[in-house]
Amino acid sequence: MADAALRLTTLAEELLGAPLPVRIRAWDGSESGPPDAPILVIRSRRALRRLLWKPGELGLARAWVAGELDVEGDLYAALELLAGLIWEKGAEAKDTVHPVLDPRMRAAAKGIVQIAGPWPPPPPPVEEVRRRTGALHTKRRDKQAISHHYDVGNDFYEMVLGPSMVYSCGYWDDTPGFTLEQAQRDKLDLVCRKLALKDGDRLLDVGCGWGSMAIHAAREYGARVTGVTLSREQAAYARKRIAEEGLTDRVEIRVQDYRDVRDGPYDAISSIGMAEHVGTVRYREYADDLYALLKPGGRLLNHQIARRPEKVEEEYHIDEFIDAYVFPDGELAPLGRTVATLEEAGFEARDVQSIREHYALTLRRWVANLEQHWPEAVRATSPGRARVWRLYMAASALSFERNRIGVNQILAVKTPESGEPGAPLRSHDWR
């Protein structure tokens, strides 16, 4: 008689000490749990072996990427319900599923082991970043990390991001029918206005992606733009777009580390969604380098995801799923620490704008695009890679909505010795 789902529900609730908020459908066709809840589909006992071997987030991620675990129904609702048991508990979740002293919990764990089948657990999916060596955030290691995330295939990113090819949050309006493309155009224009770009200004776009910011600044404001990226696929795509726009005389795209840029001074620098890759150990170097590349009075617009501060900052650790499958070596810093580091490098912080809700809206549109083009996206990459992007974007949308993470635009100026700010007294006209 098919009863795997009921047995799993009973044992899981013993271990977790709480009712399961989702319904379970097991590989034998059995179901158990709240009838109206999202369904957690366990397609194979291999998923259980992964969870027993790596309790918590990484085990779940491996099962999800391998296609052994899925959600039927509202993915966002399922993630919200599971977050309290898995992600929000952090280390406590791992302690919960490692019973040692309680005989009742040991018995429950043994029951799951019996259902899971023979050891060892399956190897990690091929999409997982393998063991990395060497110091964090060397040029070589950063290039490998960027390639893992961005060299997935331009066709795939076109399906997810849409025609704008902007891989950072849009700037939304509550006008009915407001589109992702309008939000991305408005975000690029917001950056240009904050930088006070004008005809002939030299703009350095750090982490230029597929060239959207460079194209907008050159076409709409007459800027002369240098864009740098570590992704060869991005650079090739950006150059093609620039040629099609007839802007090759105004825009240059380089495959280059920002640390190797030596042709300053620039009138302005944009860094949109790039600083998350820099890392704590390199952030002051990043700030110093950008400060040196600006002319006196020049402006930096730093658009960056931020995390909430930890009570004990030394306890911060990189998210296991994100590190293994999405942004290898990526690190988030609290907003205050980022502003302080920019100021330590010599910048004057002139404005900080939180656009946290805007990123949640953007991510939900990206997830919808991916789901709409699912068969094509799978063919363009792999089933596992498509599942990675769907899970990370949906979970990230919820994190922004719940204020677990945020995103901020910091406008900083290389204020000259005279103290002249180079900005009007009322500097919020860009809003």
Side-chain angles (χ1 to χ4, degrees):
M1 184 176 180
D3 64 352
L6 179 59
R7 293 172 65 196
L8 283 173
T9 300
T10 302
L11 292 169
E13 290 179 349
E14 286 281 342
L15 286 172
L16 296 170
L20 273 183
V22 296
R23 188 168 180 83
I24 288 181
R25 179 186 298 150
W27 55 91
D28 62 355
S30 61
E31 292 191 16
S32 176
D36 298 327
I39 299 174
L40 186 65
V41 183
I42 305 174
R43 294 200 174 104
S44 169
R45 294 189 300 168
R46 290 190 298 271
L48 302 181
R49 296 204 291 276
R50 294 188 193 277
L51 280 167
L52 289 166
W53 186 253
K54 285 289 184 182
E57 188 171 333
L58 188 57
L60 280 170
R62 286 175 172 173
W64 175 274
V65 175
E68 300 155 1
L69 199 65
D70 204 350
V71 168
E72 185 176 300
D74 189 328
L75 176 60
Y76 296 101
L79 290 175
E80 283 273 33
L81 292 168
L82 290 170
L85 295 176
I86 303 298
W87 290 280
E88 290 179 359
K89 285 189 176 182
E92 293 178 9
K94 297 183 179 182
D95 293 339
T96 301
V97 291
H98 274 111
V100 177
L101 300 177
D102 189 326
R104 179 177 54 85
M105 294 184 71
R106 284 206 306 270
K110 184 178 179 181
I112 292 180
V113 169
Q114 291 172 343
I115 298 173
W119 294 85
V126 296
E127 289 81 7
E128 184 170 314
V129 176
R130 302 311 187 199
R131 186 172 63 89
R132 285 155 276 178
T133 58
L136 273 172
H137 300 295
T138 60
K139 292 178 182 179
R140 178 175 176 272
R141 184 157 163 171
D142 279 355
K143 189 171 184 178
Q144 292 173 339
I146 293 298
S147 178
H148 172 86
H149 187 77
Y150 293 103
D151 292 340
V152 175
N154 293 329
D155 290 345
F156 175 81
Y157 276 108
E158 282 182 335
M159 296 174 208
V160 174
L161 304 181
S164 70
M165 288 299 282
V166 179
Y167 194 25
S168 56
C169 77
Y171 193 53
W172 293 84
D173 191 330
D174 56 8
T175 303
F178 200 77
T179 67
L180 175 62
E181 299 311 309
Q182 289 172 299
Q184 293 295 14
R185 186 197 181 283
D186 283 2
K187 188 274 300 298
L188 297 177
D189 209 62
L190 177 68
V191 171
C192 290
R193 295 199 308 276
K194 287 183 176 182
L195 291 173
L197 291 180
K198 59 185 183 300
D199 189 61
D201 278 354
R202 294 191 72 209
L203 170 68
L204 175 64
D205 187 26
V206 180
C208 65
W210 292 271
S212 299
M213 175 62 191
I215 290 170
H216 187 85
R219 184 183 60 212
E220 305 298 330
Y221 288 84
R224 293 177 294 128
V225 188
T226 299
V228 296
T229 176
L230 294 178
S231 168
R232 293 190 178 278
E233 287 195 24
Q234 284 186 334
Y237 190 98
R239 288 167 183 155
K240 182 174 182 292
R241 293 178 71 194
I242 289 159
E244 291 171 350
E245 291 276 352
L247 294 171
T248 53
D249 61 330
R250 285 190 170 272
V251 183
E252 177 191 9
I253 301 296
R254 305 173 185 166
V255 178
Q256 185 178 34
D257 194 293
Y258 73 92
R259 288 166 281 193
D260 294 327
V261 177
R262 296 288 184 267
D263 59 346
Y266 286 86
D267 298 288
I269 298 176
S270 54
S271 178
I272 306 173
M274 176 271 177
E276 297 88 341
H277 297 288
V278 171
T280 303
V281 297
R282 297 287 183 185
Y283 205 90
R284 176 58 191 273
E285 179 184 356
Y286 162 83
D288 287 340
D289 284 350
L290 299 192
Y291 186 83
L293 286 166
L294 273 174
K295 72 174 188 180
R299 298 184 180 192
L300 163 69
L301 192 287
N302 190 79
H303 174 120
Q304 182 176 346
I305 298 172
R307 61 176 171 85
R308 303 296 298 169
E310 300 283 351
K311 291 181 180 178
V312 180
E313 272 297 307
E314 290 73 21
E315 293 181 358
Y316 167 70
H317 63 276
I318 302 171
D319 180 279
E320 286 185 306
F321 167 58
I322 297 295
D323 187 48
Y325 286 98
V326 186
F327 292 103
D329 299 335
E331 295 177 73
L332 301 182
L335 170 62
R337 183 62 230 156
T338 299
V339 173
T341 305
L342 292 171
E343 290 184 325
E344 289 161 7
F347 283 104
E348 179 186 7
R350 297 291 301 184
D351 186 78
V352 177
Q353 182 183 6
S354 170
I355 50 175
R356 173 174 62 82
E357 300 91 334
H358 297 255
Y359 219 150
L361 290 168
T362 303
L363 284 157
R364 283 181 177 265
R365 298 311 192 279
W366 289 345
V367 171
N369 284 347
L370 175 59
E371 291 174 344
Q372 181 182 349
H373 297 286
W374 187 258
E376 304 97 310
V378 167
R379 288 194 296 271
T381 52
S382 70
R385 181 69 65 193
R387 283 193 285 267
V388 166
W389 255 246
R390 182 171 180 243
L391 178 61
Y392 114 77
M393 291 191 299
S396 296
L398 293 175
S399 292
F400 281 107
E401 288 169 358
R402 288 294 196 91
N403 192 29
R404 297 184 192 120
I405 54 177
V407 61
N408 307 282
Q409 289 191 349
I410 304 169
L411 179 63
V413 178
K414 184 175 181 175
T415 305
E417 291 184 7
S418 66
E420 291 294 328
L425 289 175
R426 295 189 178 188
S427 58
H428 294 277
D429 294 340
W430 53 71
R431 302 292 172 86

